[in-house]
Amino acid sequence: MAKMWAGRTDGVTDRVADDFNASIHFDCRMYREDIAGSMAHAAMLGKQGIITPKEAEILRAGLAGILADLESGALAFDYTAEDIHMFVEAELTARLGEVGKKLHTARSRNDQVALDLRLLLRREMDEISASLRELLSVLADLAEKHAATIMPGYTHLQRAQPITFGHYLMAYASMIARDLSRYADARARMNLSPIGSCALAGTTYDTDRAFEARELSFDGVMGNSLDGVSDRDFCLEFLSASSILMTHLSRLAEELILYSSWEFSFIELSDAYTTGSSIMPQKKNSDMAELIRGKTGRVFGDMVAMFTILKGLPLAYNKDMQEDKERVFDTVDTVKACLDVLTPMLATMTVKEKNMRAAAAGGFINATDLADYLVTKGMPFRSAYKIAGELVAYCIANKTTLEELPLAVYQSYSDLFDEGVFAAIDLDACVERRCSEGGTSPKSVRAQVNALKNFLGE
Ligand code: ARG
């Protein structure tokens, strides 16, 4: 069959080349956006007298019919059409005859595809943002519940200082809150309409771009038509923000895996978010958390692919840009799928407070507090640090802990020690004293949770 664009050539292409060129297999996902854009376009053409108001009405009714039939399943995509734009236009013309051919006046597929992808991504980003809010709300509730649950805090994956589990969770909440604001920033820059840029140079018709933009809930129009059709920064921003988000999810997933191992045993994931082994009966594997960590790689891949596709492109539209959609769709689907699993996984996990506390009690995690105690007695920090280190070495050599060490031993290292040392190195006291803003004390954690809840509007 000859192509819609037959004229300059006979419009007959090789079948394999046709398949290679086509994007309908994946851009059919934008049918709602494509039809919404065409409805706005028809309204604008009618309002401006480029077509008659009657014709605009006929086009809009025809488009509404196509949408309804696609939604009901009465109409199926024709995968021999090159792309979703060609499919809708061809179907419209088949239904309406000559008037259908008027829809594409003062428009090009170049500005049409830029419009469709913006509309789709705007909707998807709003859905992802709603999921991020849910995740934040679960983190806030958990952090509130565990504002005083003591666990070891790590640096270099070595026990460092006691922290609260609530404090730990709020660290991830802080990251996710930034992710949410990154999507909001990207959305604001993205929410300008490219339609009316036409093929590249604008148009000779008396169009009203602002009207079309308003019809489609954009904040305004893009200021340069060459940029309007060739800009994919909004894809890069979405993929970059998503890569950062996935980095955060991956770090959290890694710790869920680690903390649910026998070696840590700080948490247990609900059975619903684990799998068994086909051979080892004792196994409870955190497959879903591992997949979140693993899928991070494909999102990075989408981001790098998109940058690579764009980096050498001359202005304005080039067919290379058709490769944008699968990258964007894949990241949308991956991010949503990960969030759909992660949020309930967190909400349903069991926190093994006793084990966390036992781990915090070993490892001389209160050695800094021991040094600080001597500082309060008047010793310079560097000297106090040295004595605390020697006491830890003594405990290791004698297989004991700072809590169990007799006062006499303490006093053999410095006569500044008295009974008060035991209260000073008590884990709860260590944590409670770190009440600086953003610190680990239950009070500081509750303040962080409140700030987050305010931000979420709860
Ligand atoms: N399917 C194309 C894409 O996804 C639509 C734009 C085609 N424009 C063109 N001049 N061939 O990018």
Side-chain angles (χ1 to χ4, degrees), residues 55-76:
E55 286 169 332
E57 265 328 296
I58 294 170
L59 288 175
R60 284 167 63 87
L63 288 162
I66 292 174
L67 178 63
D69 290 351
L70 283 172
E71 301 275 8
S72 73
L75 174 64

Side-chain angles (χ1 to χ4, degrees), residues 5 30 43 139 165 167 233 270 285 300:
W5 37 259
M30 307 193 298
L139 285 170
F165 189 49
H167 189 221
D233 287 2
S270 136
N285 295 331
F300 292 178

Side-chain angles (χ1 to χ4, degrees), residues 13-42:
T13 49
D14 178 73
R15 196 184 57 76
V16 174
D18 249 8
D19 285 348
F20 183 70
N21 195 46
S23 54
I24 180 101
H25 316 280
F26 48 87
D27 66 20
C28 58
R29 179 166 169 163
M30 307 193 298
Y31 74 91
R32 286 195 202 101
E33 287 74 21
D34 196 74
I35 291 173
S38 289
M39 298 264 244
H41 191 65

Side-chain angles (χ1 to χ4, degrees), residues 234-390:
F234 64 99
C235 299
L236 294 177
E237 287 197 50
F238 167 69
L239 294 169
S240 304
S242 300
S243 294
I244 299 175
L245 165 65
M246 287 303 298
T247 304
H248 297 152
L249 301 190
S250 186
R251 290 180 79 169
L252 177 54
E254 163 63 14
E255 289 190 318
L256 292 177
I257 295 160
L258 207 57
Y259 288 173
S260 56
S261 69
W262 280 108
E263 283 68 17
F264 278 85
S265 258
F266 287 177
I267 56 163
E268 181 170 350
L269 297 176
S270 136
D271 291 356
Y273 299 97
T274 56
T275 63
S277 155
S278 57
I279 167 169
M280 298 164 282
Q282 84 286 8
K283 290 287 286 268
K284 182 167 172 180
N285 295 331
S286 40
D287 286 32
M288 290 73 171
E290 290 166 37
L291 272 175
I292 292 171
R293 190 177 58 187
K295 283 177 188 294
T296 302
R298 61 191 284 164
V299 171
F300 292 178
D302 290 335
M303 176 188 68
V304 173
M306 192 71 234
F307 273 105
T308 312
I309 289 161
L310 291 173
K311 75 173 271 291
L313 284 191
L315 294 179
Y317 178 82
N318 299 269
K319 189 76 168 190
D320 312 45
M321 290 159 86
Q322 180 166 287
E323 289 289 308
D324 56 4
K325 281 166 282 297
E326 286 165 293
R327 306 281 59 85
V328 165
F329 297 165
D330 183 64
T331 287
V332 164
D333 294 341
T334 304
V335 167
K336 282 175 141 183
C338 289
L339 290 171
D340 283 350
V341 163
L342 179 64
T343 302
M345 186 191 294
L346 286 171
T348 56
M349 73 184 177
T350 307
V351 178
K352 299 177 166 176
E353 301 173 28
K354 274 202 188 112
N355 292 352
M356 284 187 177
R357 192 177 176 104
F364 310 102
I365 203 162
N366 43 8
T368 313
D369 297 85
L370 182 62
D372 286 342
Y373 167 83
L374 288 175
V375 171
T376 62
K377 297 282 180 184
M379 190 181 284
F381 179 77
R382 214 23 93 200
S383 317
Y385 170 93
K386 186 160 184 291
I387 289 179
E390 287 166 359

